[in-house]
Amino acid sequence: MDYLLQLAASPTAWVALATLVVMEIVLGIDNLIFISILTNKLPEQHRAKARRLGIGMALFMRLALLSTVAFIVQLTEPVIEVLGQSFSWKDMILIAGGLFLVWKATTEIHHSMDSKPEEEKVATPGVAIGFAAAIGQILLLDMVFSIDSIITAVGMTEHLPIMIIAVVASVIVMLLAAEPLAKFINDNPTIVMLALGFLIMIGMTLIAEGFGAHVPKGYVYAAMAFSAAIECLNMLARRAREKRQAAQSEA
């Protein structure tokens, strides 16, 4: 209790908490985009449940990893060497997660560009298999993003309570933002392609990080923000054209 009171009275601790909360929320954007795109492919009655379950698993996984901080730190120690390049467990997990993201996003882009109509499937079995597959893929990416998130937290502060509060706060924000973000992506088809492009960029960044090439996160998020701003201008321009066409047709 004395430790917590001393921590609460420390201005440095509050600064570290605020910084880490912001950092965890930013790192959670990647995970949230993936969850939104993936759950939008499910039948509408299953989407909200899948999103809540996926984000809940992210919280559980991050809190579980926080309870093994000493083990998480050891994941950064080199375990194998290939052609003079050392790899830790963290590196291999990031590479595997990056490859999965690139594969998944590329597959989704190919699917959206395919002109062949989808074959009708039997409703009940398809829903069950699709839901299980979606949760499995969300769980896999949760693990990758959770390890990256926790290692970032460990590097920013040594106080476990601060890490726990930051992780919980970031997941609560993800939970609140999941529904609006998923609806926005679903209502704007061009946003889906942009988000898939983001996932490819994030996947390549994870692969580069796994091979030891540090990519400043600021560059990645600046590129994402710039692309999103351009797409918002395109959406406004399309709506303006639609209004003009509607007004001309009524005249």
Side-chain angles (χ1 to χ4, degrees):
M1 179 62 76
D2 291 339
Y3 167 70
L4 293 177
L5 291 175
Q6 291 176 0
L7 203 59
S10 171
T12 304
W14 284 102
V15 171
L17 176 61
T19 305
L20 192 54
V21 167
V22 173
M23 182 67 69
E24 291 293 323
I25 291 173
V26 171
L27 290 174
I29 292 173
D30 308 344
N31 204 359
L32 193 55
I33 291 174
F34 179 81
I35 291 175
S36 298
I37 291 177
L38 201 58
T39 54
N40 278 345
K41 295 180 69 65
L42 294 173
E44 190 170 355
Q45 66 269 27
H46 294 275
R47 293 175 186 175
K49 179 182 178 182
R51 281 192 287 270
R52 288 194 297 267
L53 187 56
I55 295 173
M57 288 189 302
L59 175 59
F60 174 77
M61 194 171 296
R62 293 180 190 193
L63 292 178
L65 289 173
L66 275 175
S67 66
T68 58
V69 170
F71 171 72
I72 294 299
V73 171
Q74 291 176 3
L75 291 179
T76 59
E77 298 294 328
V79 291
I80 63 171
E81 185 173 323
V82 179
L83 299 176
Q85 175 73 43
S86 297
F87 295 94
S88 65
W89 283 112
K90 177 197 173 187
D91 295 332
M92 290 185 283
I93 290 171
L94 289 179
I95 291 171
L99 288 172
F100 174 77
L101 263 186
V102 171
W103 168 79
K104 183 63 181 176
T106 304
T107 302
E108 293 296 330
I109 290 174
H110 181 270
H111 177 74
S112 66
M113 300 288 287
D114 192 355
S115 59
K116 296 179 181 178
E118 293 187 12
E119 295 181 1
E120 293 295 328
K121 299 179 179 66
V122 181
T124 305
V127 170
I129 294 173
F131 187 84
I135 295 301
Q137 292 178 40
I138 290 172
L139 182 59
L140 176 61
L141 261 296
D142 275 348
M143 181 182 70
V144 176
F145 288 127
S146 293
I147 289 176
D148 193 30
S149 171
I150 297 306
I151 290 177
T152 299
V154 171
M156 291 185 65
T157 181
E158 60 183 11
H159 302 295
L160 188 60
I162 290 178
M163 297 182 205
I164 293 174
I165 294 172
V167 166
V168 172
S170 67
V171 173
I172 289 174
V173 170
M174 286 173 61
L175 195 59
L176 294 175
E179 194 72 25
L181 178 62
K183 186 178 185 304
F184 181 72
I185 289 176
N186 191 55
D187 293 343
N188 298 275
T190 56
I191 292 293
V192 175
M193 195 62 69
L194 181 64
L196 290 171
F198 288 165
L199 290 181
I200 291 178
M201 181 171 63
I202 294 164
M204 294 303 297
T205 301
L206 291 176
I207 294 171
E209 293 275 357
F211 279 98
H214 177 64
V215 181
K217 292 292 193 299
Y219 293 163
V220 176
Y221 293 121
M224 292 171 64
F226 179 78
S227 302
I230 296 298
E231 181 58 28
C232 286
L233 291 176
N234 285 331
M235 291 170 59
L236 291 174
R238 282 195 297 270
R239 290 177 182 175
R241 285 196 299 269
E242 290 171 359
K243 288 180 179 180
R244 284 197 299 269
Q245 292 172 357
Q248 291 172 359
S249 62
E250 292 175 357

